[in-house]
Amino acid sequence: MAKKNKAKKKALNGKRRDGLVSADEHVLDRLYVVIDSRKGADPDTSYTARLFSRGRAQIAKKLGEEAVEALIEGIKGDRPKLVAESADLLYHLLTLWAATNVKPKAVWTELARREGLSGIAEKASRKR
């Protein structure tokens, strides 16, 4: 049983380049760090660097394209394709955050602030 728990724990933990993993670190936080590190990298060797070199408007456009592709797969009900398109969508969203210096923690904080609020009440509070 102890072996099983160790294997499960190891499988659940992602690995950073330095080999250290925080239990509360989420894959999206780790991905953001990698994306952010590509700013100024060679666009010929990194897709992310290529996106950054094309500018924020192009990153936003790509995000929109990925959102439409996820929407289409959601309507079709093709779960594997929806999973793949969702991953693309999240990657491009994180890239846009990095391009505009929005840190994931700011988004997580906003989501936590909204937790437990009804969507109707939260939306009404924004109209003020």
Side-chain angles (χ1 to χ4, degrees):
M1 186 71 164
K3 264 188 179 180
K4 235 183 192 180
N5 286 340
K6 272 188 181 179
K8 187 176 179 181
K9 209 175 206 182
K10 190 174 183 179
L12 290 174
N13 287 333
K15 288 211 172 197
R16 294 189 330 211
R17 277 181 243 147
D18 59 9
L20 301 173
V21 176
S22 169
D24 62 345
E25 190 176 39
H26 191 276
V27 66
L28 293 176
D29 293 309
R30 294 190 306 270
L31 179 57
Y32 180 88
V33 169
V34 172
I35 289 168
D36 198 48
S37 76
R38 298 296 197 273
K39 289 179 180 174
D42 183 358
D44 291 332
T45 60
S46 166
Y47 174 74
T48 304
R50 190 176 311 150
L51 283 173
F52 283 129
S53 74
R54 292 179 178 165
R56 194 171 54 240
Q58 282 303 114
I59 295 168
K61 180 181 174 193
K62 189 64 181 166
L63 174 64
E65 291 170 10
E66 297 300 340
V68 170
E69 290 171 7
L71 178 145
I72 289 167
E73 298 309 333
I75 291 170
K76 285 182 179 177
D78 188 325
R79 292 180 60 158
K81 286 185 180 176
L82 178 57
V83 168
E85 293 301 341
S86 296
D88 290 348
L89 179 61
L90 289 169
Y91 162 80
H92 287 89
L93 178 60
L94 292 172
T95 305
L96 184 59
W97 290 356
T100 56
N101 295 312
V102 170
K103 304 291 185 226
K105 184 167 174 89
V107 178
W108 310 154
T109 300
E110 177 60 13
L111 287 170
R113 183 191 68 78
R114 295 178 184 190
E115 194 172 14
L117 291 177
S118 86
I120 294 169
E122 193 284 323
K123 203 166 188 171
S125 73
R126 287 191 256 161
K127 291 182 180 178
R128 294 181 189 160

